[in-house]
Amino acid sequence: MLSGLVIVDKPQGWTSHDVVGRMRRIAGTRKVGHAGTLDPMATGVLVVGINKATRLLTYIVGTSKTYTATIRLGQSTVTDDAEGDVVASAGTSAVAEQAIHDGVAALTGGIQQVPSSVSAIKVNGERAYARVRSGEDVKLAARPVTIHRFEVHGIRRDTGADVIDIDVTVECSSGTYIRALARDLGNGLGVGGHLTALRRTHVGPYSLDQARTLEQLAEELDVLEMSQAARALMPNRELSAEETTEISYGRRIAAGAAPGSPGAATADHPAAAFAPDGSLVALLADSGNYAKPVLVFAPGNGNSAAAGGEA
């Protein structure tokens, strides 16, 4: 059975769910999922898992992401991006370039970010955007995120429209909203702001260079095989033949790293364990002097099992 990751270059106007539906038809299987939503306006890297590889998606969701984007200063929208109506405008002629760079610096590093009110975050069991559309004034709580890199590549003034467009690259932790960065940069400068373009270039170790359009994938399904995908995503552990047998039956083996050391694998951040032939056997977590399987990929039968029973 075909299993692996597909790095899709998501087209503008498609939801991530739309892409999953199309990939189900292309791959000929219902067992397809994605690792992190992209807004319909956005394009770029969307990691899709097929069959057994869907079990890797949970470990991809939490990885860092990189985006290129364009932020417009001088206009605020209801959605914090170009898909929403403009709700406020302010002149930008007095905004100095140094003030823009200072504002970007203030939003770099560890920050508290309030997500956009039209995000997919659930409020009492209902998506925030659905509550906004029904007329409710939604206030979301701030959450900690990390902006590893926020670089300005270009600043363009449109004197006719009295707006400023800024081209940026953002590398950030999982859970960051680039729309909210655009909003907060504009608000910090006193003129408002929103996102006009967004393209995701990296999700963890997977990049736009690996991505294929849906049209290309329909012609030739380019799948990153399970072992390759795991090698790029996680710390690697090479098993002996004896260790491979033990782990295949869900039994523990000697730890790969000393307890509490930086190299110790955990259930949230496991190591990928490989058989002598290079195939992916399991995901392992170190516990004291032993390594225990978090997830075992049973050889030959296309199934995977969580430690202690069927997945």
Side-chain angles (χ1 to χ4, degrees):
M1 181 185 295
L2 176 68
S3 293
L5 298 182
V6 179
I7 317 301
V8 179
D9 185 350
K10 189 189 85 66
Q12 190 170 25
W14 285 56
T15 67
S16 299
H17 182 71
D18 291 337
V19 173
V20 168
R22 180 69 176 119
M23 285 305 305
R24 283 173 175 156
R25 293 191 292 275
I26 291 173
T29 179
R30 293 290 303 169
K31 197 169 185 181
V32 176
H34 68 78
T37 301
L38 267 180
D39 290 336
M41 187 191 83
T43 65
V45 175
L46 184 68
V47 180
V48 173
I50 297 174
N51 291 321
K52 283 195 297 181
T54 56
R55 304 304 297 269
L56 295 178
L57 297 179
T58 186
Y59 304 103
I60 300 172
V61 170
T63 60
S64 63
K65 318 291 193 299
T66 305
Y67 301 85
T68 57
T70 301
I71 296 170
R72 174 159 292 181
L73 300 179
Q75 295 176 342
S76 301
T77 73
V78 68
T79 58
D80 299 328
D81 64 19
E83 294 195 320
D85 295 333
V86 175
V87 293
S89 298
T92 60
S93 59
V95 177
E97 288 197 8
Q98 186 58 51
I100 293 172
H101 288 290
D102 290 346
V104 166
L107 291 169
T108 304
I111 64 172
Q112 291 286 324
Q113 184 183 73
V114 177
S116 171
S117 61
V118 293
S119 69
I121 293 171
K122 286 189 176 181
V123 179
N124 295 327
E126 187 177 5
R127 301 290 185 187
Y129 63 73
R131 289 179 174 270
V132 171
R133 287 171 183 167
S134 66
E136 185 176 336
D137 184 19
V138 175
K139 301 293 185 184
L140 297 175
R143 55 177 60 188
V145 299
T146 303
I147 311 302
H148 303 293
R149 180 164 57 106
F150 194 173
E151 293 181 0
V152 175
H153 302 296
I155 298 174
R156 305 187 305 280
R157 294 180 183 267
D158 184 336
T159 54
D162 201 5
V163 296
I164 300 174
D165 287 332
I166 309 169
D167 298 321
V168 301
T169 295
V170 178
E171 182 183 352
C172 55
S173 64
S174 176
T176 302
Y177 286 84
I178 310 302
R179 284 181 292 166
L181 276 183
R183 176 201 66 203
D184 292 345
L185 178 62
N187 289 347
L189 293 166
V191 296
H194 70 279
L195 201 64
T196 62
L198 183 65
R199 185 159 176 77
R200 190 154 68 188
T201 59
H202 288 82
V203 173
Y206 312 116
S207 73
L208 199 56
D209 291 340
Q210 299 168 278
R212 300 292 180 268
T213 66
L214 291 170
E215 291 79 12
Q216 289 172 324
L217 291 166
E219 292 182 4
E220 182 180 358
L221 184 53
D222 188 1
V223 178
L224 187 63
E225 190 268 329
M226 287 274 293
S227 295
Q228 292 176 289
R231 280 191 183 279
L233 179 64
M234 301 169 176
N236 298 171
R237 180 167 176 183
E238 307 298 331
L239 302 181
S240 67
E242 182 180 354
E243 289 173 327
T244 298
T245 300
E246 292 298 295
I247 288 297
S248 294
Y249 285 102
R251 295 193 283 260
R252 63 187 187 177
I253 59 175
S261 69
T266 66
D268 291 334
H269 300 283
F274 300 93
D277 66 1
S279 61
L280 179 64
V281 177
L283 306 184
L284 301 180
D286 292 316
S287 179
N289 294 322
Y290 297 97
K292 300 178 180 180
V294 176
L295 184 66
V296 175
F297 295 93
N301 62 7
N303 296 320
S304 60
E310 282 301 308

